[in-house]
Amino acid sequence: MPLLPVNEIFYLCQVWQFNFCIHSAKSTKSTMFMWNESQGHKGVNDVVSCLNNYITKVLSAEVDSLYLFSDGCIGQNKNMKVVQYPITLVASGRLKCITHYFPVKCHSFLPCDTSFTRIEKIKRKKEKVETPREWEDIVKNEANFNVETFKNTNNT
């Protein structure tokens, strides 16, 4: 970010806008957690914070089993903190069972990939996008996703 028609300006003022997708297979809806680099990073703490936010604010209290599908990114998904977080949810009684899958690389296509493709198609039609708020509006209003503006308080 920003998305600008002039390459020279683009490289002088680039700010990272992060987008983390959680797709519900039951409702077939995607929730996008969006934040920029001044609000957090895109590491394991941010992933766990997004999962926690989704489970506490979006996921129905009636749900007692959860199936997670994640790509094999070691820095974000395939590490001890992401493995321990679901164990904590089961131990606390919030959920009874959590199964976490890591599909085989290059042999799977997750629903979140389709969601990101939809955003990319809209992005190609834009001449410029200058602020994080504009990106959130595009994802929410034009791509029709639920957008949670995310701010991680654990920037470690």
Side-chain angles (χ1 to χ4, degrees):
M1 184 189 75
L3 174 63
L4 299 170
V6 181
N7 288 339
E8 195 173 306
I9 293 173
F10 172 80
Y11 290 107
L12 291 174
C13 59
Q14 188 171 3
V15 175
W16 287 98
Q17 176 79 7
F18 301 117
N19 188 0
F20 183 81
C21 177
I22 297 178
H23 180 84
S24 169
K26 186 173 185 175
S27 70
T28 68
K29 294 182 180 178
S30 292
T31 299
M32 300 291 184
F33 291 86
M34 298 183 74
W35 68 97
N36 64 57
E37 67 182 333
S38 70
Q39 297 166 309
H41 306 287
K42 194 169 184 183
V44 63
N45 290 339
D46 305 285
V47 169
V48 172
S49 293
C50 288
L51 286 171
N52 185 61
N53 192 325
Y54 184 84
I55 290 167
T56 57
K57 294 183 179 181
V58 180
L59 191 67
S60 169
E62 298 169 357
V63 174
D64 64 356
S65 295
L66 190 62
Y67 298 91
L68 299 173
F69 291 83
S70 302
D71 62 24
C73 178
I74 293 172
Q76 295 173 353
N77 301 323
K78 213 172 193 182
N79 56 61
M80 287 304 293
K81 288 183 181 180
V82 174
V83 170
Q84 290 172 339
Y85 175 69
I87 294 169
T88 304
L89 291 170
V90 172
S92 71
R94 169 59 179 96
L95 296 166
K96 290 182 182 176
C97 176
I98 299 176
T99 307
H100 199 163
Y101 296 96
F102 294 97
V104 178
K105 185 178 179 180
C106 300
H107 293 281
S108 59
F109 192 76
L110 299 174
C112 288
D113 297 329
T114 303
S115 300
F116 288 127
T117 299
R118 199 158 97 200
I119 294 168
E120 284 298 317
K121 285 181 180 178
I122 293 169
K123 176 184 165 185
R124 283 187 220 128
K125 296 176 185 176
K126 298 289 180 188
E127 185 174 328
K128 65 180 181 175
V129 181
E130 296 176 329
T131 66
R133 180 71 182 159
E134 286 180 73
W135 274 117
E136 291 171 17
D137 289 342
I138 288 169
V139 172
K140 184 176 186 176
N141 300 324
E142 295 182 43
N144 296 317
F145 292 119
N146 177 33
V147 174
E148 296 283 332
T149 304
F150 172 73
K151 186 172 184 180
N152 185 0
T153 55
N154 304 325
N155 287 336
T156 55

